[in-house]
Amino acid sequence: PKLELARRTIPRRVYTQAHMDVVAEAIKAVYDAREQTRGLRMVYEPKYLRFFQARFERL
């Protein structure tokens, strides 16, 4: 598809607020750098476990 979305899940009762603060800062840094980020193209896609075993190249 033209747009692939990534789902982020967080296990309950495992992480502290400090952990969540670090995650929020990292997500904000990625968002802030979105104009400089070019993306990836999938060059190999296995039949099973697509994203765990796929190979990519930079655009």
Side-chain angles (χ1 to χ4, degrees), residues 25-40:
E25 289 173 16
I27 291 171
K28 183 180 181 316
V30 170
Y31 181 79
D32 290 344
R34 68 190 179 279
E35 297 299 323
Q36 293 80 35
T37 304
R38 301 208 27 152
L40 301 171

Side-chain angles (χ1 to χ4, degrees), residues 38-49:
R38 301 208 27 152
L40 301 171
R41 174 181 25 251
M42 189 179 292
V43 294
Y44 168 72
E45 180 180 344
K47 185 175 180 180
Y48 301 106
L49 297 175

Side-chain angles (χ1 to χ4, degrees), residues 5 18-19 21 39-40 55:
L5 302 176
H19 290 114
D21 292 343
L40 301 171
R55 292 189 182 88

